[in-house]
């Protein structure tokens, strides 16, 4: 009984976090889709491993 | 004779579906990098749970019983991660660039790591330990995590004041001595530390617990259902950390995400965070103003929790029976708050401060180790005073 109770608590927690994360995510403006006839030059610099301007482990 | 594992099939199915769906969502919404970082988190969660690789328990066992298998495994992890990180951070491969976990060697780290080391003995979990035990379905650890987030958030408010206190600044032994000399020096110190821990254990018990305990289970069975040896965990964690460094551009770190979640939640409830200096510049500002799913530490933390859930379900250990009494509740709250606040002051927990710091060649990581272990010594003593543990037997 206790076992099932704990599973419900964990399931609820995961559900609440998922909803909260999605609310936060959708509050931010997503990029506007470009029409297909426009040639897009994809800037790869943002996808490089060093794209973070400052590491989150050494913030000051 | 191996014991039969009762896999929790419904949970395995749900978690696996969730992992696949979320990975695809991240790839679609952001890029393959975010999906991969989430999957690295999954790998770390599986590793941590299957090997039960924690800092809190192993430090306490070493202090109380002089058994040092866990501590020796941590020293090996730092050594192997250093071997992988130093050449990269020392620009031995100029085409691969990454950021070290450099932080100032000062009062903030000294106090923060001490508070964290103390708090982890009350919370009964460190940064990584809290995440993987939450994933394992331990309800008490949910409370620890909630207050860890509160503590980390308060820490972001106070950190600018702490940083006005005396500090020697950022000191990188890689920059000071070159990566090869620095690596040799670091491995020598770690070898001495390993020998000391081993000697203390041998002196007390006349034997030493092996890190790779043999088992009659098949390799693949053990790999999927656990338990893993500490040696497997060390190798897996070092490789996952290297993958994080290459993909995210910084070592594996946990507690930045906690402060971010707390601050976002506070702002969502109508709180004013515009005066919180920590969040006004650099990566922190970018993270606060962007989607929470764009933050690498958040993705990896989610991955660790889900990975640990998957591993626990595979091992038939998910959401074990437990009752939380008043003492459990109090220690969870106090431990969580202390760990969160301490981690922010110390520029990370046992992962982002200790492991990433030392493995990046930053001197603040060594200061973290000394202060954090001292905090644990006090924490172990306080556990006895508050009758959480029995007195240490001679």
């Amino acid at each position: 009984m206790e076992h099932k109770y704990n599973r419900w608590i964990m399931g609820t927690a995961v559900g609440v976090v998922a909803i909260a994360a999605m609310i936060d995510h959708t509050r931010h403006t997503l990029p506007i889709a470009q029409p297909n006839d426009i040639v897009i030059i994809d800037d790869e610099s943002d996808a490089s491993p060093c794209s973070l301007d400052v590491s989150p482990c050494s913030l000051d | 004779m191996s014991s039969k594992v009762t896999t929790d099939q419904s949970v395995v199915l749900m978690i696996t579906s969730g992992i696949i769906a979320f990975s695809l969502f991240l790839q679609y919404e952001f890029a393959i990098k975010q999906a991969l970082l989430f999957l690295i988190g999954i790998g770390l969660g599986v590793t941590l749970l299957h090997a039960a690789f924690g800092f809190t328990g192993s430090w306490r066992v070493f202090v109380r019983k002089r058994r040092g298998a866990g501590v020796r495994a941590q020293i090996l992890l730092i050594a192997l991660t250093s071997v992988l990180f130093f050449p990269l951070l020392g620009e031995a491969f100029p085409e691969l660039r990454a950021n070290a976990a450099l932080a100032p060697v000062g009062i903030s780290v000294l106090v923060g790591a001490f508070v964290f080391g103390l708090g982890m003995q009350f919370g009964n979990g460190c940064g990584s330990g809290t995440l993987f035990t939450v994933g394992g379905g331990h309800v008490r650890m949910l409370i620890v995590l909630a207050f860890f987030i509160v503590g980390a958030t308060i820490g972001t408010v106070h950190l600018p004041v702490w940083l006005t206190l005396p500090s020697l600044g950022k000191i990188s032994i890689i920059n000071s001595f070159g990566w090869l000399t620095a690596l040799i020096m670091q491995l020598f110190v770690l070898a001495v530390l390993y020998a000391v821990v081993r000697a203390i254990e041998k002196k007390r018990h006349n034997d030493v617990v092996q890190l790779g305990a043999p088992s009659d289970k098949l390799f693949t069975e053990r790999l999927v259902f656990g338990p893993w040896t500490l040696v497997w965990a060390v190798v897996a964690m070092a490789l996952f950390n290297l993958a994080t460094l290459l993909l995210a551009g910084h070592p594996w770190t946990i507690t930045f995400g906690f402060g971010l979640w707390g601050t976002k939640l506070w702002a969502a409830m109508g709180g004013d965070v515009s005066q919180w200096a920590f969040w006004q510049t650099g990566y922190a500002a970018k993270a606060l103003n962007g989607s929470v799913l764009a933050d690498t530490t958040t993705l990896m933390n989610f991955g660790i929790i889900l990975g640990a859930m998957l591993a626990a379900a595979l091992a038939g250990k998910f959401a074990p029976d437990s009752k939380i009494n008043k003492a459990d509740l109090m220690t969870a709250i106090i431990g969580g708050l202390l760990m969160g606040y301490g981690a922010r002051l110390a520029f990370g927990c046992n992962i982002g401060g200790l492991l990433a710091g030392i493995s990046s060649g930053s001197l603040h990581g060594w200061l973290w180790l000394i202060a954090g272990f001292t905090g644990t010594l006090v924490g172990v003593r306080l556990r006895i005073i508050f009758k959480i543990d029995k007195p240490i037997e001679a």
Side-chain angles (χ1 to χ4, degrees):
Chain A
M1 189 63 191
E2 191 80 33
H3 185 62
K4 285 201 168 175
Y5 185 63
N6 286 350
R7 287 161 67 105
W8 275 108
I9 293 174
M10 294 310 299
T12 307
V14 170
V16 168
V17 169
I19 292 166
M22 284 307 147
I23 290 172
D24 180 81
H25 179 67
T26 50
R27 282 172 67 185
H28 299 279
T29 314
L30 296 174
I32 299 161
Q34 298 290 328
N36 287 336
D37 55 343
I38 295 175
V39 178
I40 300 167
I41 300 166
D42 196 6
D43 182 9
E44 286 291 324
S45 62
D46 204 39
S48 82
C50 315
S51 59
L52 295 171
D53 45 356
V54 184
S55 155
C57 15
S58 56
L59 288 162
D60 56 0
Chain B
M1 191 68 190
S2 63
S3 58
K4 182 131 178 74
V5 171
T6 317
T7 296
D8 202 330
Q9 292 179 354
S10 58
V11 177
V12 170
L13 191 66
M14 274 193 287
I15 298 296
T16 308
S17 311
I19 289 168
I20 293 169
F22 193 56
S23 303
L24 291 171
F25 169 80
L26 289 172
Q27 198 268 334
Y28 173 78
E29 200 76 343
F30 297 97
I32 191 75
K33 184 176 95 170
Q34 274 74 12
L36 289 174
L37 285 167
F38 170 66
L39 292 174
I40 289 169
I42 297 286
L44 283 166
V46 171
T47 305
L48 288 163
L49 193 124
H50 270 343
F53 197 101
F55 285 65
T56 309
S58 56
W59 284 18
R60 190 160 69 235
V61 167
F62 182 63
V63 172
R64 287 181 61 89
K65 300 180 179 172
R66 300 290 190 265
R67 278 295 185 194
V71 176
R72 281 184 286 122
Q74 289 154 26
I75 295 169
L76 285 180
L77 174 62
I78 296 170
L80 183 56
T81 312
S82 301
V83 169
L84 297 172
F85 276 20
F86 272 45
L88 274 172
L89 297 172
E91 296 184 5
F93 308 99
E95 67 279 11
L96 298 173
R97 292 181 59 203
N99 293 307
L102 283 175
V105 182
I107 300 292
S108 178
V109 171
L110 185 75
V111 174
F114 177 87
V115 168
F116 187 93
L118 175 63
M120 67 193 227
Q121 292 306 327
F122 279 101
N124 223 7
C126 49
S128 50
T130 300
L131 288 180
F132 90 76
T133 47
V134 164
H138 296 264
V139 174
R140 178 184 174 276
M141 297 310 288
L142 266 182
I143 302 166
V144 175
L145 179 58
F147 284 90
F148 206 140
I149 292 167
V150 174
T153 308
I154 298 169
T156 65
V157 182
H158 293 175
L159 183 64
V161 177
W162 283 95
L163 289 178
T164 60
L165 298 174
S167 158
L168 299 174
K170 295 176 182 176
I171 302 174
S172 163
I173 60 168
I174 295 175
N175 293 344
S176 302
F177 302 103
W179 73 266
L180 187 57
T181 310
L183 180 61
I184 292 168
M185 284 163 53
Q186 176 133 308
L187 291 179
F188 175 75
V189 175
L190 289 169
V192 170
L193 210 55
Y194 187 96
V196 168
V197 172
R198 196 177 187 281
I200 290 171
E201 186 175 359
K202 177 102 174 158
K203 189 181 174 191
R204 168 67 71 91
H205 299 282
N206 225 14
D207 65 2
V208 174
V209 175
Q210 297 303 309
L211 300 183
S215 166
D216 57 352
K217 281 186 178 178
L218 291 172
F219 171 77
T220 46
E221 188 188 348
R222 215 172 165 189
L223 192 68
V224 176
F225 301 105
W228 288 16
T229 68
L230 289 172
V231 174
W232 294 8
V234 165
V235 174
M237 287 167 75
L239 292 176
F240 283 132
N241 210 341
L242 175 66
T244 307
L245 183 70
L246 292 171
L247 270 171
H250 60 79
W252 174 28
T253 183
I254 291 174
T255 48
F256 173 83
F258 295 170
L260 178 66
W261 302 348
T263 306
K264 275 181 174 287
L265 203 60
W266 182 249
M269 291 189 302
D272 179 16
V273 299
S274 62
Q275 302 304 310
W276 296 4
F278 178 89
W279 298 103
Q280 305 310 315
T281 54
Y283 181 86
K286 193 175 155 189
L288 185 65
N289 294 316
S291 162
V292 71
L293 299 179
D295 170 48
T296 54
T297 58
T298 296
L299 293 180
M300 291 186 67
N301 288 349
F302 283 0
I304 291 168
I305 293 173
L306 291 180
M309 265 183 193
L310 178 64
L314 284 166
K317 295 180 195 165
F318 180 67
D321 294 351
S322 60
K323 281 182 181 165
I324 301 167
N325 58 33
K326 204 182 282 181
D328 288 332
L329 188 65
M330 286 308 295
T331 52
I333 292 170
I334 294 167
L337 282 172
L338 290 177
M339 280 195 288
Y341 194 77
R344 191 60 276 156
L345 263 53
F347 293 88
C349 61
N350 53 303
I351 299 298
L354 170 61
L355 175 62
I358 296 179
S359 305
S360 293
S362 176
L363 218 55
H364 90 281
W366 286 102
L367 179 63
W368 200 113
L369 174 62
I370 295 163
F373 194 77
T374 309
T376 273
L377 290 175
V378 176
V380 168
R381 184 61 57 190
L382 288 175
R383 283 177 67 93
I384 297 167
I385 291 169
F386 292 128
K387 300 191 187 314
I388 300 166
D389 285 335
K390 290 176 184 168
I392 299 170
E393 291 170 15

